[in-house]
Amino acid sequence: MESVRKAKQRLRNYPILLGKCAESATVYAACVTRDLNVQHKTCDKEFQLFKDCLKSAAKEMKTKL
């Protein structure tokens, strides 16, 4: 059951990670909601910045995503 406990802890960390990346999340969300017909890779640059932010915040907190 150790793996379940660790998974639950990672899920509890998500709001903290999202809070640390609020700016890049906002930019990505604005890109996605800009057009009703979002095409594949339209917001790829914004997503990549958001993803990199989440990875670095997780590394900073010494946790996994």
Side-chain angles (χ1 to χ4, degrees), residues 19-60:
K20 290 183 180 217
C21 297
E23 187 176 321
S24 59
T26 303
V27 171
Y28 176 59
C31 180
V32 170
T33 58
R34 189 176 307 132
D35 189 11
L36 292 176
N37 243 352
V38 179
Q39 300 297 315
H40 182 64
K41 294 195 177 195
T42 300
C43 300
D44 199 35
K45 182 182 78 166
E46 291 84 352
F47 175 74
Q48 203 61 0
L49 291 172
F50 179 50
K51 183 175 139 184
D52 290 344
C53 180
L54 286 175
K55 282 183 177 181
S56 66
K59 187 176 183 181
E60 198 176 275

